[in-house]
Every structure is written in C-alpha cells, then in structure tokens.
Amino acid sequence: MTPQSTVDLTDVDLFVRNKHPEVFTWLRETNPIYENITADGSRFLALTKYDDVLWAYRDHELFGSTRGAVLGGSFGSEEDSAGGRMLVASDLPRHRMLKQVIQPAMSAIVTARVSDQVRVLVGKAVNRAIADGGCDFATQVATELPAGALMVVMGIGHAEAHELIDLTRRMVGFRDEVFVDTSGDVRLRLAWLQAEIFEFFTNIVTERRRRPGDDLVSMLLAAEVNGRPMNEEDILYNCMNVAVGGNETSSYTACTGMHALIENPAAYDRFLAEPALLDSAIEEMLRYSSTNAYVQRVARRDVVRRGVHIAAGDSVTLWNFSANRDEDQFPDAAAFDIARTPNRHLTYGSGLHRCIGAPIAQAELSLLFGRLAESRARFRLAGNVRRLRSNFILGITELPVELA
Ligand code: HEM
C-alpha cells in the first residue's frame, strides 16, 4: 500500500480475501490511531498498536461500552436499546451487578462439566473424521465445542444446542449470503435475527420457570439486580450475549488453528511430536486467529494519545487482530510459532470486560487439539477454504480436510 492510500476497515472483502494482515501492518507503521471514514460517511478511530489497545481496554472510565462492541450498533447497542442491559454493553456499576449474576454460570465446576461433555462430543467427531478419512472440520468437528458448552451452561440437549448455534451463526454472519438473505435493510435483518434468538430463549425461560435447574437461565430467573428480579427482556439479552459470545468464537478459533497447522507443516510436525507443547500451541492459535477482530468503545471525555485528539463521544475500535501482530510485542509476529513464549495476546480482551468464557474456551480447545494430537492423525486440505463475511468475527466456515 502507498502512504497516500486510505482504507476502510468496514470493507468485509479485505477480511474475506485475507488482506487484513498487510493492511494492519501498514496502519501500525504509518497511522497507528487511524481515522476511518466509511462509505456511508460515518467515522470511527482505529487503535492498531498493542500498547494503545491495552491502554483503552484498561481505562474503562475513559472508554465506555454502552454503544455495544460492534460498529454500527448491530449487536447490543444504545440504538437497539440493549446498551446498559447486556453484560458486554454495560458500564459500571451495572456491569458489576450483571457479572455477579452471570459469572457463576461459568464457574470452575461448570467448566469441569463442560469438559466432560465436550470430551465425549469431540472424541466421537474426531473418531468419525478418521474413520471416514476426512470431514468438513468447520461444520462436523469445530461446532461440537460450543455444542458441548451450551448443553451444560444452558441445560439443553445436543439437537437444541445445534439449533441455537445455527441461530447465532446467522446473527454473526449477518453480512454473509451463506447464512442470511443479504438483500434488504440491514437493521431489519438484524432485528429479525435477534427476534429468532429471543424466541428460542423465551421457550427455555418458560420451561425453567416451571422446572428450574442449575443452568444460566434458571440462575438469571432467580437473581436480583439492584434488589429487584431481572425483567424478562434483560434475561433474554444476557442469554443472547453468552450464546453469541461463546458459540462462534471458540469454533472459529479451532478452524483457524487447524488451518494454521495445515499451512505450516513444520509446526504440525512439532505439534504431533511434542505433546508438551499443547498449551503454548493453543495460546498461539488464539493469538494467530484473533477471532474477535475488534471491540468498540466510546470515549467519555476528550483525550490526546500519540498527538491524536480523541473527542468525547468518538467511537474508538480496539483491534485485537492488529495488537496481536504488533512486532513491538511479538517478535516475528506473522509467524505461527506453537512454542512462542511469552505470548500475552489480547484475544480475550483485557480489563473490566475480559472474556468470562475464557476458561470454558481454553478447556474446549485443549480437549479438541489434545485429542487430535493423541490420535496422531494428520490432516491436509481437501478443497477450498471459505471465510466468513465479517470484519468482527474472523472465521472459516468451510474447512474440508482429509487424512494425509
Ligand atoms: C476463543 C473463544 C473466545 C474469544 C476469542 C472471546 C473473545 C471475547 C472478547 C474479546 C471479549 C471482550 C469484549 C469487550 O471487551 O467488549 C469477550 C467477552 C465476553 N465473552 Fe468471550 N470469547 C471467547 C469465548 C467465550 C465463551 C466460550 C463464552 C461463554 C460461554 C464467552 C462469553 C463472553 C461474555 C459473556 C463476554 C462479556 C464479558 C463482559 O462484558 O464482562 N466468550 N469475549
């Protein structure tokens, strides 16, 4: 890219064509706090250096979350009234109260139960892939990770879990013609997709009112926030938050991790030969994939950083993907190095809103890649890789593999 060129980070084609790594390298070098003007004339700032992204994550007084994590108000924003109601889209003190209610649904005990469930599902899926000589890793293996988690966290069956994954996949894939009809007004489409998820959870809420269990929905129904029971809409918003937060991220990370192993044969050799590298391999997959590419914040007062004036009310995006490829933090950042240490990636965010599902995601990924390493089966690509049309969640939707 030439120094004169401009780039629009809402242009999904950049991400689908895998051009974003070079775009972010250029931005970090030439314009680390970048003023992005989109095709519709709206404007936001993009932080692309590791230090700046960490600074913004850590200062939740300066950078608020109530406009939602996604640009354009597509999920949990003030504009669609979820601001302040959903954990990820709330500021203190509301955030603290919501977190107290939601966190127990991701406790160490729950994580252990999720592990037991995921172990069974992943075992079956990997055995089947080996027996068949291959599979679509994206749809036949990776989606079993969130399925196992949902079965435990939401207290639902396997088929229902996949039904919910299909719904959240449509929500996250709202710009992808494989998942939704992309003609027509995007706001109406999003409202419709959200209504589908709400309908799913409304049925579960009705059921849990009759027969409470030890799942998230029952916990939310029994909880009090500010001395009052949560209203049903707030319950639905937070169920959606956990479902969308957990369903797409871990499965897409697994796909990018698998793809990275296949694309880097020396790393794949080491992965199979050195089981002790499993943990660092997973950290590297998390860094390398940066599945949640960015999160949005809104500046609550004026501040100057690197000589750039950030005004109160400005939309500021924290690009995890770019921070995780910053050479000042990660030597040879573009390389996929499964023994990388230290590896302080920002894939789960940082500070107040750091991912509360991280222990579950770690357990899911360790079980899957642990099983793959143990099987000693080696896969290679068996067809075209297809990427999700999104600049928010970076994922692979089709990953055909066969035994090498
Ligand atoms: C590899 C997998 C995952 C990635 C990359 C990921 C990424 C993230 C990131 C970057 C945030 C911070 C958002 C912000 O600062 O605005 C976040 C928050 C969150 N994540 Fe995850 N996540 C993953 C797995 C999960 C899972 C498995 C669950 C649930 C089962 C989950 C539920 C949540 C929730 C509820 C929040 C909001 C936390 C808060 O606002 O305090 N995530 N996640």
Side-chain angles (χ1 to χ4, degrees), residues 57 65 69 87-88 95 99 106 153 241-242 245-246 249-250 253 286 291-292 295 297 320 346-349 352-358 360-361 364-365:
Y57 268 126
S65 288
L87 183 67
V88 74
H95 179 267
K99 191 165 171 175
M106 326 248 149
V153 174
N241 188 171
V242 171
T249 45
S250 53
T253 303
L286 285 159
T291 299
N292 191 166
V295 298
R297 295 289 189 263
N320 299 323
L346 295 177
T347 303
Y348 292 121
L352 189 70
H353 289 275
R354 186 179 190 275
C355 179
I356 56 166
I360 289 184
E364 292 175 13
L365 293 167

Side-chain angles (χ1 to χ4, degrees), residues 84-85 90-99 225 234:
R85 306 177 78 174
S90 61
D91 289 339
L92 291 174
R94 173 94 179 154
H95 179 267
R96 185 184 304 115
M97 292 185 268
L98 285 175
K99 191 165 171 175
V225 174
D234 285 3

